[in-house]
């Protein structure tokens, strides 16, 4: 496999330049950031771009910014930088913690958040987690900028709503209200996770009942917000939701849309959803009471 | 129309193991190939070629990267450290001495990557817990030792805040 | 992968059969298939199939062989080809059956095959889903072409 087929490397300094290059070269060009997914495809000969457009010099894409209640993570921010960012730790601490567990330390140093979302590998921790932060992605092209809900952006395995000539420039997360207890539980023995469950328990506030946010990812063609399960949990006190965990986990197992692959059959993944939603709820409910869960599960990372 | 951004090769200037290196590399050249074939630094190994095993690990500006999946042009302006820059026979790095003493290598194929990853860990966290060591080494695979002696060797190089060995 | 579907069209069985037995026209209803042509009447046909899975583009010159034909109700064919650029090999056996139903025709489709090579490494789940989408689209196009 070693060695890559030759390509020309463009390193634009501005977004307009980058977009112009993509428009000009069409199918011949692919966007390059960390390259942790792209270079693997190139080595396998599955894609053969004649040109790469390196977006790492574009200034805004490297930044993490706080904007009102939102956290905006630029597309070329590496996972390692998300982990260490003071702004991420302030606004969305669970995101910093999960970023620490993406892939391995080498991939975290080089791979980027934007690259992860734009590649849309079904086995993605961040894509799963971001769904419960009401994430939107910003796309820029010649016709301007548009924002798209992450759930609409990711359309299937390796397929997104990004059109040719568009660049994913940032992902925007909506910070949780104070007192929210969250958890991300990921399971697997391979390089990529077999299952990821993201759960958040929002406390009741004036005019708003307590709320569960729940997403399951890595098991199907794309990560999924489990709206029906969330609806069944609406109004339940986060501190006692553990009493209903079995029932909610069973609902989640019915709601997911798993896909068989080398990580396991669809039936297995459905059952694992039930098991891990229950565990994620237990962790989150414990945190809602100020208690940290110490249970350990085989091949599982509890964040 | 000449395209100033796309020469068929570019000159990179970096430091490798503390010494300056200037080379013309093609955009598609991988760092691992440049290190092994042009600079004769054979410590980093091509193993999985998919960045999942860690045998090709080198440090770029102190951070572990998979040289098999890293373009050489990205090293421009940066410091690269390979295992050859860690220590030499007669003047081993403490991690290398510890690996030998603890029996943390057998065939040696993963060792260069393990050492550099361990160095990066200790530079960031001089007194790591076993969990922190395991976390950092995740994705560095060894088929021989069962990892226990590797972790012990690394922990034996931990230092307390005062700089004394733990 | 294996995909089975049944679709009911308003056209009469003879009209639907006429479409299916016009193999180049039938193959052209497969999403991504173009340049469908006859090589040997009622025996062998050819087409080019283009598909995309994310950033990966597939372009396969297909050889379509008629294995069994029982006019006017059943046709079994095999489609094979290899994309030399990405080294993907596709091999499919497709059986199409027309039965009168409710004043129209029920068309049942049974597609059974495999994708070999690096593309197959994307995972059975992705390939299966792509195949299901393709068969659903094919059924919709056949229904529309037969009724129109």
């Amino acid at each position: 496999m070693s060695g890559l087929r030759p390509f020309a490397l463009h390193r634009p300094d501005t977004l307009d330049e980058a977009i112009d290059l993509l428009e000009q070269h069409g199918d011949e060009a692919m966007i390059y950031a960390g390259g942790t997914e792209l270079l693997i495809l190139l080595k396998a000969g599955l894609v053969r771009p004649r040109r790469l457009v390196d977006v790492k010099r574009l200034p805004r894409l490297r930044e993490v910014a706080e904007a009102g209640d939102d956290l905006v993570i630029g597309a070329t921010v590496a996972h390692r930088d998300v982990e260490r960012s003071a702004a991420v730790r302030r606004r969305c601490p669970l995101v910093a913690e999960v970023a620490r567990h993406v892939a391995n330390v080498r991939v975290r140093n080089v791979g980027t958040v934007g690259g992860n979302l734009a590649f849309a590998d079904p086995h993605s921790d961040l894509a799963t987690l971001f769904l419960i932060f009401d994430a939107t992605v910003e796309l820029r092209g010649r016709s301007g900028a548009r924002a798209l809900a992450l759930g609409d952006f990711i359309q299937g395995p390796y397929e997104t709503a990004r059109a040719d000539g568009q660049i994913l420039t940032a992902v925007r997360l909506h910070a949780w209200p104070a007192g929210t207890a969250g958890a991300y539980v990921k399971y697997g023995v391979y390089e990529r996770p077999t299952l990821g469950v993201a759960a958040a328990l929002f406390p009741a506030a004036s005019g708003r009942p307590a709320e569960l946010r729940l997403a399951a990812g890595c098991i199907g063609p794309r990560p999924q917000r489990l709206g029906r399960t969330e609806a069944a949990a609406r109004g339940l006190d986060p501190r006692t939701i553990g009493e209903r965990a079995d029932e909610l986990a069973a609902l989640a197992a019915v709601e997911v849309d798993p896909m068989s692959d080398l990580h396991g059959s669809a039936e297995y993944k459905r059952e694992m959803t039930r098991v891990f939603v229950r565990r994620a709820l237990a962790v989150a409910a414990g945190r809602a009471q100020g208690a940290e869960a110490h249970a350990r599960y085989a091949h599982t990372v509890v964040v | 129309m000449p395209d100033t951004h796309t020469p068929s090769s570019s000159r990179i200037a970096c430091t490798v193991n503390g010494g300056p290196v200037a080379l013309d590399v093609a955009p598609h050249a991988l760092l691992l190939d440049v290190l092994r074939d042009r600079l004769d630094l054979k410590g980093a190994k091509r193993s999985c070629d998919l960045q999942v095993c860690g045998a090709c690990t080198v440090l770029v500006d102190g951070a572990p990267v998979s040289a098999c999946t890293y373009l050489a042009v990205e090293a421009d302006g940066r410091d690269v450290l390979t295992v050859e820059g860690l220590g030499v026979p007669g003047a081993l790095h403490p991690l290398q001495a510890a690996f030998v003493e603890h029996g943390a290598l057998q065939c040696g194929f993963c060792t260069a990557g393990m050492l550099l990853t361990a160095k990066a860990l200790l530079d960031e966290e001089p007194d790591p817990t076993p969990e922190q060591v395991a976390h950092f080494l995740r994705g560095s695979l060894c088929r021989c030792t069962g990892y226990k002696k590797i972790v012990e060797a690394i922990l034996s190089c931990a230092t307390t805040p005062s700089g004394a060995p733990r | 992968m294996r995909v089975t579907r049944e679709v009911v069209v308003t056209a009469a069985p003879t009209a639907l059969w006429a479409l299916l037995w016009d193999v180049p026209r039938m193959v052209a209803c497969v999403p991504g298939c173009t340049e469908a042509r006859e090589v040997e009447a009622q025996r062998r046909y050819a087409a080019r199939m283009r598909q995309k899975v994310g950033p990966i583009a597939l372009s396969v010159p297909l050889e379509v062989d008629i294995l069994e034909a029982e006019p006017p109700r059943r046709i079994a064919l095999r489609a094979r080809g290899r994309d030399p650029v990405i080294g993907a090999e596709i091999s499919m056996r497709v059986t199409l059956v027309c039965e009168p139903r409710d004043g129209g025709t029920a068309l049942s489709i049974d597609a059974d095959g495999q994708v070999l090579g690096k593309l197959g490494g994307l995972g059975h789940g992705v390939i299966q889903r792509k195949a299901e989408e393709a068969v659903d689209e094919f059924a919709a196009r056949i229904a529309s072409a037969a009724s129109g």
Side-chain angles (χ1 to χ4, degrees), chain A residues 33-56:
Chain A
T36 55
E37 302 283 15
L38 178 63
L39 294 183
I40 303 292
L41 287 183
L42 266 149
K43 283 200 238 190
L46 288 172
V47 296
R48 299 188 175 202
R50 307 268 290 280
R51 300 164 186 278
L52 297 190
V53 178
D54 184 348
V55 292
K56 296 197 293 295

Side-chain angles (χ1 to χ4, degrees), chain A residues 83-153:
Chain A
E83 177 191 336
R84 290 158 157 164
S85 159
V88 178
R89 291 182 168 280
R90 244 190 325 268
R91 286 308 173 104
C92 304
L94 188 62
V95 171
E97 280 301 305
V98 171
R100 185 169 172 266
H101 291 277
V102 167
N104 60 57
V105 67
R106 302 178 304 279
V107 171
R108 291 196 290 276
N109 280 323
V110 173
T112 65
V113 174
N116 187 291
L117 296 179
F119 185 62
D121 185 304
H123 300 268
S124 167
D125 292 315
L126 293 184
T128 308
L129 178 66
F130 286 175
L131 286 179
I132 64 169
F133 282 93
D134 286 334
T136 56
V137 296
E138 179 185 272
L139 298 168
R140 285 187 176 252
R142 193 159 272 160
S143 52
R146 68 176 180 134
L148 208 52
L150 183 63
D152 294 329
F153 174 70

Side-chain angles (χ1 to χ4, degrees), chain A residues 30 41 44-48 119 157-159 221 257-261, chain C residues 52-57 85-86 118-119 122-126 129-130:
Chain A
M30 288 184 77
L41 287 183
L46 288 172
V47 296
R48 299 188 175 202
F119 185 62
Y158 316 104
E159 292 186 2
D257 179 26
M259 187 169 75
S260 296
D261 63 13
Chain C
K52 263 203 130 180
V53 181
I56 300 167
V85 173
I86 66 175
K118 291 201 179 96
L119 195 62
L122 284 182
H124 169 266
V126 177
R129 273 182 197 243
K130 277 279 155 185

Side-chain angles (χ1 to χ4, degrees), chain A residues 184-251:
Chain A
Y184 183 75
V185 180
K186 78 175 203 171
Y187 165 68
V189 299
Y190 304 115
E191 180 64 23
R192 295 182 201 258
T194 295
L195 165 65
V197 173
L201 297 170
F202 282 37
S206 57
R208 195 191 64 217
E211 198 181 306
L212 165 68
R213 295 216 174 163
L214 188 64
C218 315
I219 52 171
R222 51 191 194 141
Q224 242 184 306
R225 268 291 282 273
L226 304 182
R228 292 204 296 272
T229 309
E230 292 178 357
R234 186 156 297 121
L236 294 181
D237 184 336
R239 291 163 301 176
T240 53
I241 197 171
E243 293 158 17
R244 306 279 295 275
D246 282 349
E247 171 199 326
L248 293 169
L251 280 177

